[in-house]
Amino acid sequence: ETGVTQTPRHLVMGMTNKKSLKCEQHLGHNAMYWYKQSAKKPLELMFVYNFKEQTENNSVPSRFSPECPNSSHLFLHLHTLQPEDSALYLCASSQVPRKLDYGYTFGSGTRLTVV
Amino acid sequence: RKEVEQDPGPFNVPEGATVAFNCTYSNSASQSFFWYRQDCRKEPKLLMSVYSSGNEDGRFTAQLNRASQYISLLIRDSKLSDSATYLCVVRYTGNQFYFGTGTSLTVIP
């Protein structure tokens, strides 16, 4: 059982819909991330939150809107998506700073299909 | 230019074989290195960190060559359960991690 929980596991939405992805971490970490994984491409970092503050936004279109109400919860609000946005969306958390580098813990992801 | 490059494979090896994957990274200021494993339709999971002196965890050995900017993963005595995609991950300064596209391994009975 992962310490990072994502819901829903699967989502099919139309291009005019609004939906939200939810992520919750139970590890006491202070940093959370959204990644996008498309077929044949490396994981793409979308957003980074340290201590609830957004520290990075990697040129993500405004149809993706993150929200981090506290250090344990992270949302990704979606609206007017395009079919090319269909992908696996992964949430991750980590502890920063850290003496020994343990990398990320990932959630199981939301597989999104835009129709 | 990709930050992290891996041979996508696929690597198809018989049970019991030894297989090695390499990965190269572009930024010489990279600080931390990892191998992650990702099973089909699942999330990536940390397999092992990679240290400058090299490190071993059971049948898995990771090596780092900073001069040549590459990382390797050696799997000995391959098991069917080792079939997965192996992701090379590099961290620069801060929290930015860069992922390779992954190397696909299938262990054949």
Side-chain angles (χ1 to χ4, degrees):
Chain A
E1 178 66 39
T2 180
V4 179
T5 304
Q6 282 187 248
T7 54
R9 293 292 300 271
H10 301 274
L11 178 62
V12 178
M13 59 186 288
M15 289 191 281
T16 57
N17 291 158
K18 287 185 181 181
K19 296 285 184 184
S20 295
L21 310 185
K22 180 182 175 183
C23 177
E24 183 176 359
Q25 59 97 359
H26 315 276
L27 301 168
H29 289 165
N30 56 13
M32 296 185 77
Y33 314 81
W34 280 116
Y35 273 87
K36 175 183 178 182
Q37 188 175 35
S38 305
K40 309 289 186 193
K41 289 186 178 180
L43 270 76
E44 300 169 52
L45 178 64
M46 299 176 73
F47 301 105
V48 180
Y49 278 83
N50 282 345
F51 298 97
K52 304 187 300 175
E53 299 296 324
Q54 184 176 314
T55 57
E56 291 194 46
N57 173 345
N58 275 12
S59 304
V60 180
S62 59
R63 57 186 185 268
F64 295 92
S65 172
E67 179 191 357
C68 189
N70 56 61
S71 57
S72 299
H73 293 85
L74 186 64
F75 295 90
L76 187 63
H77 303 300
L78 316 171
H79 64 97
T80 59
L81 294 192
Q82 304 298 312
E84 60 264 29
D85 297 322
S86 299
L88 180 67
Y89 288 85
L90 290 160
C91 173
S93 71
S94 70
Q95 183 65 22
V96 292
R98 45 189 175 262
K99 261 185 129 174
L100 291 177
D101 215 323
Y102 295 113
Y104 290 158
T105 301
F106 281 93
S108 50
T110 295
R111 189 158 297 279
L112 173 68
T113 303
V114 181
V115 297
Chain B
R1 183 182 179 184
K2 292 182 182 176
E3 303 285 351
V4 179
E5 297 216 44
Q6 292 182 250
D7 179 350
F11 285 68
N12 299 314
V13 304
E15 258 186 301
T18 295
V19 62
F21 307 136
N22 288 330
C23 162
T24 58
Y25 59 94
S26 61
N27 191 326
S28 60
S30 299
Q31 296 190 340
S32 304
F33 309 89
F34 309 88
W35 284 102
Y36 275 72
R37 170 195 169 126
Q38 186 171 22
D39 293 288
C40 187
R41 306 186 77 81
K42 297 280 185 73
E43 75 275 19
K45 292 187 178 175
L46 180 63
L47 179 66
M48 56 197 304
S49 300
V50 186
Y51 303 120
S52 298
S53 54
N55 48 299
E56 191 173 303
D57 183 2
R59 297 181 292 107
F60 298 84
T61 301
Q63 297 277 353
L64 168 63
N65 185 319
R66 284 190 183 270
S68 302
Q69 295 180 203
Y70 81 77
I71 308 148
S72 65
L73 177 68
L74 183 78
I75 305 175
R76 290 182 299 279
D77 188 24
S78 301
K79 311 290 185 194
L80 296 177
S81 57
D82 294 335
S83 298
T85 296
Y86 291 83
L87 301 170
C88 175
V89 184
V90 173
R91 184 178 70 87
Y92 299 165
T93 56
N95 280 338
Q96 187 90 346
F97 285 65
Y98 289 92
F99 288 76
T101 51
T103 298
S104 173
L105 171 67
T106 301
V107 181
I108 304 161

